[in-house]
Amino acid sequence: MTTVDLPLLPLGRGIDRGSERGVECPGDLPAASDPSLVARALAAKQALGERVFVLGHHYQRDEVIQFADVTGDSFKLARDAAARPDAEFIVFCGVHFMAESADILTGPEQQVILPDLAAGCSMADMARLPQVEAAWRALGEAGVQDLVVPVTYMNSSADIKAFCGRNGGVVCTSSNAEVALEWAFAQHGPDTKVIFFPDQHLGRNTAVLQMGYSLDDCVLWNPHLPGGGLTADQLRAAKVILWKGHCSVHGRFTPEVVDELRATIPGVQVLVHPECRHDVVLKADLVGSTEFIIKTIEAAPAGSSWAIGTELNLVQRLAKAHPDKQITFLDKDVCYCSTMNRIDLPHLVWALESLVDGAVVNRIEVDPETERDALVALTRMLDLPGKSHKD
Ligand code: 13P
Ligand code: SF4
């Protein structure tokens, strides 16, 4: 098997536009200290009017989210992007794989802009197409490839989504992973297997905690080991082949902190994102996507106490919006997503003002062949029956 070992580029450097890794900003950014940035962003948005549609993921900074026309988790934003065929420019305040998905789901004349090209995702970087193709070949050599349905988390590059589209698979997000896996397991009868990219935790938490598979039904494919570190017998016996990837933000939460908070905050309810480790999710009261986390807090009674395990911008915003509830972050240290945080007000102002001046900067454009196949997998997701109860 080929092992592919690509060193991460330092954020904000280099010219690797095709990957989730950082690239430098090609323009003259306004200074972060410029006191007129808010007024400039407002003026540019006003000048562009209906021509621009600004999407903001829940993990974005306050200074950016205030300019979003819609906010959401990655599933909602994919739907929202597809629902605005009239907008000439989609400015995506999120990370690279989300902007790619928006480009795939919008018309060819619509242009998707990521204000800072260094806003990648370390998890998406953990599954590269040559690595995925090597795993697929190993499944062929083990004689089970025809039974395997590839499922990729939205947090993956467009070429991984295209791989899934070409090979009978589907995309999922943290808000519909269970429905997507149910669909996948129905594809080839009772012997169906799933290979799940790139987040082992979302895959494991969904298969075991929501669908009733056992931990023994799951094996872990390590793309850095020959044969994924698995024997052909292990591949044949597995129901779920999990890719060894994780989120560097959600991977920080630990069961020990859950225990500490339960001991210090009487009646605290622990609410976590399914990208958290299995041992953390096992100790939580509730698990769901960012959209689910927000709705849960909105519906919670005044006086209730919550410890939330997800990105810090969102947790801080929830705490500010609900002063009648006690909201605690589920970590002792600061835990922003550094790449989500790359999108700041200077980059947003620069992107919007450039559009006003007639220059489209930082356009994210997926090549037509990848787009065609990725659209198959994304459309399968959008067509899934209903949504999970975690919507
Ligand atoms: P959701 O938006 O699906 O909740 O995912 C969280 C995330 O990590 C996005 O990068
Ligand atoms: Fe990627 Fe995790 Fe950041 Fe989401 S929170 S963009 S999964 S690193």
Side-chain angles (χ1 to χ4, degrees):
M1 175 206 125
T2 326
T3 49
V4 185
D5 193 13
L6 293 162
L8 283 174
L9 292 172
L11 280 175
R13 301 275 170 75
I15 51 163
D16 190 1
R17 280 172 181 267
S19 90
E20 289 292 325
R21 295 172 295 162
V23 291
E24 64 200 6
C25 175
D28 276 337
L29 288 180
S33 57
D34 181 343
S36 65
L37 284 181
V38 168
R40 285 172 65 175
L42 275 172
K45 262 200 89 182
Q46 212 165 11
L48 290 162
E50 295 290 302
R51 295 173 68 203
V52 72
F53 188 48
V54 181
L55 299 165
H57 189 271
H58 291 310
Y59 297 166
Q60 290 288 295
R61 298 161 178 262
D62 285 351
E63 68 188 42
V64 165
I65 214 85
Q66 64 180 318
F67 294 106
D69 293 308
V70 289
T71 59
D73 65 4
S74 46
F75 181 83
K76 180 171 177 292
L77 292 180
R79 268 197 320 208
D80 288 344
R84 277 299 301 268
D86 48 317
E88 214 175 311
F89 310 116
I90 308 280
V91 174
F92 212 117
C93 299
V95 289
H96 189 263
F97 70 79
M98 297 178 182
E100 279 188 330
S101 298
D103 181 52
I104 294 164
L105 291 166
T106 51
E109 68 296 336
Q110 292 181 284
Q111 306 190 68
V112 177
I113 290 134
L114 183 65
D116 185 348
L117 292 179
C121 165
S122 53
M123 179 204 283
D125 274 348
M126 291 176 194
R128 317 284 303 173
L129 186 60
Q131 297 173 321
V132 164
E133 287 173 338
W136 197 242
R137 279 195 300 278
L139 290 165
E141 285 155 20
V144 291
Q145 195 191 78
D146 289 350
L147 296 171
V148 181
V149 179
V151 179
T152 191
Y153 190 19
M154 186 69 121
N155 301 25
S156 57
S157 54
D159 57 4
I160 305 297
K161 295 183 177 81
F163 172 89
C164 291
R166 277 195 299 281
N167 291 288
V170 67
V171 177
C172 74
T173 74
S174 56
S175 60
N176 63 13
E178 184 181 358
V179 187
L181 283 186
E182 273 165 10
W183 175 89
F185 277 112
Q187 295 308 298
H188 304 303
D191 294 332
T192 303
K193 301 170 189 296
V194 162
I195 182 164
F196 191 91
F197 315 111
D199 186 12
Q200 58 168 305
H201 301 302
L202 177 65
R204 186 180 294 108
N205 289 329
T206 309
V208 174
L209 298 176
Q210 290 184 264
M211 302 182 68
Y213 290 98
S214 72
L215 286 174
D216 288 340
D217 290 325
C218 306
V219 292
L220 193 60
W221 177 279
N222 182 342
H224 300 291
L225 291 178
L230 296 168
T231 64
D233 278 345
Q234 284 174 308
L235 289 175
R236 282 190 281 269
K239 287 298 285 178
V240 187
I241 300 140
L242 299 167
W243 194 262
K244 194 170 188 294
H246 66 276
C247 166
S248 43
V249 176
H250 292 88
R252 293 173 58 94
F253 300 115
T254 60
E256 290 74 26
V257 176
V258 177
D259 292 341
E260 278 171 36
L261 289 174
R262 286 203 194 280
T264 51
I265 309 174
V268 70
Q269 296 192 69
V270 177
L271 172 57
V272 301
H273 194 280
E275 286 175 16
C276 293
R277 287 164 30 181
H278 189 63
D279 53 2
V280 172
V281 173
L282 274 177
K283 283 188 174 257
D285 297 293
L286 292 166
V287 53
S289 76
T290 47
E291 204 67 26
F292 172 75
I293 290 172
I294 293 167
K295 285 182 180 158
T296 303
I297 296 299
E298 281 171 355
S304 54
S305 299
W306 297 88
I308 305 182
T310 193
E311 207 268 350
L312 186 53
N313 277 310
L314 174 58
V315 179
Q316 285 176 331
R317 213 158 24 243
L318 283 171
K320 223 185 285 172
H322 298 275
D324 58 331
K325 299 160 199 174
Q326 188 190 347
I327 294 176
T328 309
F329 185 53
L330 190 67
D331 192 18
K332 291 179 206 161
D333 306 311
V334 172
C335 191
Y336 292 103
C337 172
S338 58
T339 48
M340 282 278 180
N341 263 6
R342 294 288 311 190
I343 313 287
D344 57 10
L345 196 47
H347 281 88
L348 182 61
V349 168
W350 170 67
L352 291 171
E353 288 184 346
S354 300
L355 291 177
V356 174
D357 293 342
V360 178
V361 293
N362 288 4
R363 181 170 179 193
I364 302 299
E365 208 174 359
V366 176
D367 74 83
E369 205 178 315
T370 305
E371 177 160 322
R372 183 199 61 208
D373 292 347
L375 185 59
V376 172
L378 277 164
T379 305
R380 283 189 187 124
M381 173 184 83
L382 293 169
D383 288 347
L384 286 171
K387 277 280 304 288
S388 96
H389 62 288
K390 303 278 154 103
D391 187 6

